[in-house]
Amino acid sequence: MSSKLPINNAQTITDFLSLEPHQISEESSEESYKFAFDDEAFLARRETIGIRFELELLKPEILLSEHGIDHTITVFGSTRFVSHEKALEMEKGAQTADEKAKANKALLHSRYYESAREFGAMVAQYNNAQTEDSNKLHICTGGGPGIMEAANRGAFEAGDKTIGFNISLPREQHPNPYISPGLSFRFHYFALRKMHFMLRARAIVAFPGGFGSFDELFEVLTLMQTKKVTRFPVILMGKEFWNQMVHFQEMIEFGVIDEGDMKVIHFAETAEEAWGIISNHYQLS
């Protein structure tokens, strides 16, 4: 019986681009004669994955530096939350019991959207009072809808630069319209995207979310626990949600984390509280 172990369990770039083997074989001289850097088929081969890693690391790094962005506040949270205005529209248009239930849930969760929007505006207001780029903190998100849109929106509406690190997905996630021109990026590799979430981060603000938000949050906490990065505030918005989802105290009692590991975590209920934690930590004026 032959083994059924997969050769590679990752979605390759050739799969993502739906390229057939003959499209990357480069059998003609016209194809093989191209400059390597100008040969899309060659760059899409599995063997060039290291080069693509480097490019996804390098491109945002260069462009963010050119925009004078040294410090960011990374905001995580659910893609499913909508604004209060949108939730009211859903409630008004709801006809069936299922639609009414969805509208009620949207109204309940819209407070998180509005809080993230308010937080983005507060960060922008701080930046507007600064004369040096090196003193500014810019909102950075995954660039999609929900909480990401809300945080970008708050900063954008207040006239500040705002950053989006989008990711290619099976059901494509388009950038929200509140990302500044030239600061909307697209990644294929989650690992490189998460590196950029951290490289300039001076705080993390995590709203309630699903698998993606938990993945990003625990990546940050692990990096801090293992001293791979300098510790900075990790703010969890909505203490009730986070303590229901993650029993932090029980993890300490069980012995799988230390009391000291929790020192980076702060709970907040409002945008003002979250900004106060960051402002106090860095003694911002």
Side-chain angles (χ1 to χ4, degrees), residues 106-137:
L107 275 169
L108 178 66
H109 292 161
S110 67
R111 71 184 190 274
Y112 294 119
Y113 182 104
E114 299 303 336
S115 180
R117 183 178 176 183
E118 183 184 358
F119 178 76
M122 284 184 173
V123 175
Q125 288 162 10
Y126 162 77
N127 287 342
N128 291 339
Q130 306 305 309
T131 56
E132 301 291 332
D133 284 343
S134 59
N135 291 332
K136 296 180 179 181
L137 293 152

Side-chain angles (χ1 to χ4, degrees), residues 219-258:
E219 174 102 2
V220 172
L221 294 176
T222 300
L223 289 171
M224 291 186 180
Q225 184 189 52
T226 55
K227 296 181 171 58
K228 297 297 183 182
V229 297
T230 301
R231 292 189 168 199
F232 53 66
V234 176
I235 303 165
L236 305 186
M237 299 296 291
K239 186 173 183 178
E240 182 180 1
F241 170 85
W242 288 107
N243 278 333
Q244 282 184 1
M245 299 300 116
V246 187
H247 297 167
F248 293 108
Q249 189 57 42
E250 290 183 19
M251 292 176 74
I252 295 171
E253 292 171 3
F254 202 81
V256 291
I257 64 172
D258 297 328

Side-chain angles (χ1 to χ4, degrees), residues 62 100 117:
I62 291 172
K100 290 177 181 178
R117 183 178 176 183

